[in-house]
């Protein structure tokens, strides 16, 4: 049986709606985990305010206070290590993570990215999708690796691209699905069903040959007709 995840630390730079989805899911007993810390590089990040409102320890670390990116990351992860997370979740964290810290935590750090990886890595993913003229877009959760948005993909949620979409409308549709995807995927971690094995995702002990495709209510044990048998 793989290590079960109960202690979750979150890195966030923005509004924190993904963090809020975790706070809400824990409060509704949908996610059996404890948020042991929220860390941000932006003192004004909404995610920090949401953490404080929920009584979750929150820490802002300013890059300007450190001589190098490496020094910043060393301090950031020294503070993360102090809360002993089983899993670190990057949810809208906008700084590149140094290779040394990532490699030391392979398999224990995940990121949610607003595209169907490997398509549209990097920033402005909704604009990239519109410019590419794809019919489907969505979000992916992957293990963090030294390659930006390049680690093994665990799960995905898909949304249609509508004819009158702009980056805002498409982004809102994706963001809404990110929230359920993140909760669903973290539930799998708390149940010990996901692990990184030889740089591939193992689900219930079997290597996945493609990411789990999760609908809005999958795996949440919500009694709906759509739940898989
Ligand atoms: C999400 O779209 C996430 O995929 C991207 O940044 C956004 C964070 O949104 N990396 P929020 O701060 O969780 O609302």
């Amino acid at each position: 049986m793989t290590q079960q995840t109960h202690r979750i630390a979150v890195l966030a730079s923005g509004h924190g709606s993904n963090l809020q989805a975790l706070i809400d899911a824990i409060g509704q007993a949908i996610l059996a985990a404890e948020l042991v810390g929220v860390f941000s590089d932006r003192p004004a990040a909404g995610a920090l305010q949401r953490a404080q409102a929920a009584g979750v320890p929150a820490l802002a670390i300013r890059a300007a206070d450190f001589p190098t990116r490496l020094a910043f990351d060393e301090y950031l992860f020294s503070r993360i290590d102090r809360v002993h997370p089983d899993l670190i979740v990057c949810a809208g964290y906008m700084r590149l993570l140094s290779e040394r810290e990532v490699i030391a935590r392979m398999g224990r750090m995940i990121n949610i990215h607003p595209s169907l990886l490997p398509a549209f890595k990097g920033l402005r993913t909704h604009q990239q999708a519109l410019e590419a003229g794809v019919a489907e877009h969505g979000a992916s959760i992957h293990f963090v690796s030294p390659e930006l948005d390049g680690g093994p993909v665990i799960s995905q949620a898909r949304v249609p691209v509508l004819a009158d979409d702009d980056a805002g409308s498409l982004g809102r549709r994706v963001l809404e699905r990110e929230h359920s995807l993140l909760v669903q995927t973290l539930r799998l971690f708390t149940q010990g069903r996901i692990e990184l094995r030889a740089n591939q995702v193992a689900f219930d002990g079997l290597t996945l040959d493609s990411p789990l495709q999760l609908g809005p209510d999958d795996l949440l044990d919500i009694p709906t007709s759509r739940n898989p048998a």
Side-chain angles (χ1 to χ4, degrees):
M1 199 58 171
T2 56
Q3 154 77 31
Q4 295 210 325
T5 293
H6 296 293
R7 299 174 63 85
I8 296 173
V10 175
L11 274 66
S13 305
H15 301 295
S17 70
N18 276 291
L19 168 66
Q20 192 63 53
L22 300 187
I23 292 168
D24 296 346
I26 291 171
Q28 295 155 16
I30 292 173
L31 182 60
E34 178 188 2
L35 287 170
V36 294
V38 173
F39 301 83
S40 183
D41 57 320
R42 310 233 176 113
L48 290 173
Q49 290 149 25
R50 293 175 191 267
Q52 282 152 358
V56 178
L59 179 67
I61 305 174
R62 292 159 33 92
D65 295 345
F66 295 84
T68 65
R69 194 165 64 83
L70 274 176
F72 174 91
D73 272 8
E74 195 171 312
Y75 181 72
L76 167 65
F77 282 96
S78 72
R79 295 303 301 265
I80 292 171
D81 289 347
R82 279 195 215 170
V83 296
H84 307 292
D86 300 308
L87 188 69
I88 301 166
V89 177
C90 299
Y93 185 67
M94 301 310 282
R95 284 175 62 86
L96 283 177
L97 294 168
S98 54
E99 184 163 333
R100 178 180 58 188
E101 305 296 350
V102 167
I103 288 172
R105 293 166 183 82
M106 288 296 286
R108 292 197 300 120
M109 191 150 58
I110 64 173
N111 180 51
I112 184 162
H113 178 78
S115 82
L116 295 175
L117 292 171
F120 314 137
K121 296 179 180 178
L123 301 175
R124 300 177 54 257
T125 62
H126 312 310
Q127 197 56 47
Q128 289 187 62
L130 291 168
E131 287 164 3
V134 295
E136 255 195 341
H137 187 38
S140 303
I141 294 177
H142 63 94
F143 282 107
V144 175
S145 72
E147 182 201 346
L148 177 69
D149 301 329
V153 183
I154 302 163
S155 57
Q156 292 185 319
R158 292 169 180 270
V159 300
V161 178
L162 305 179
D164 59 349
D165 266 330
D166 58 17
S169 59
L170 182 54
R172 283 188 293 277
R173 191 173 313 120
V174 170
L175 188 60
E176 189 180 333
R177 288 292 287 108
E178 287 184 39
H179 299 158
S180 47
L181 179 67
L182 187 56
V183 171
Q184 291 161 320
T185 305
L186 287 180
R187 274 171 57 89
L188 294 176
F189 274 96
T190 62
Q191 294 159 359
R193 300 180 69 181
I194 297 284
E195 65 179 318
L196 184 65
R197 194 186 292 174
N199 205 37
Q200 290 188 293
V201 180
F203 174 55
D204 288 345
L206 299 175
T207 300
L208 286 180
D209 55 16
S210 63
L212 297 172
Q213 302 298 320
L214 297 179
D217 299 327
D218 285 342
L219 303 170
L220 290 178
D221 299 343
I222 294 171
T224 67
S225 57
R226 281 182 293 168
N227 261 356

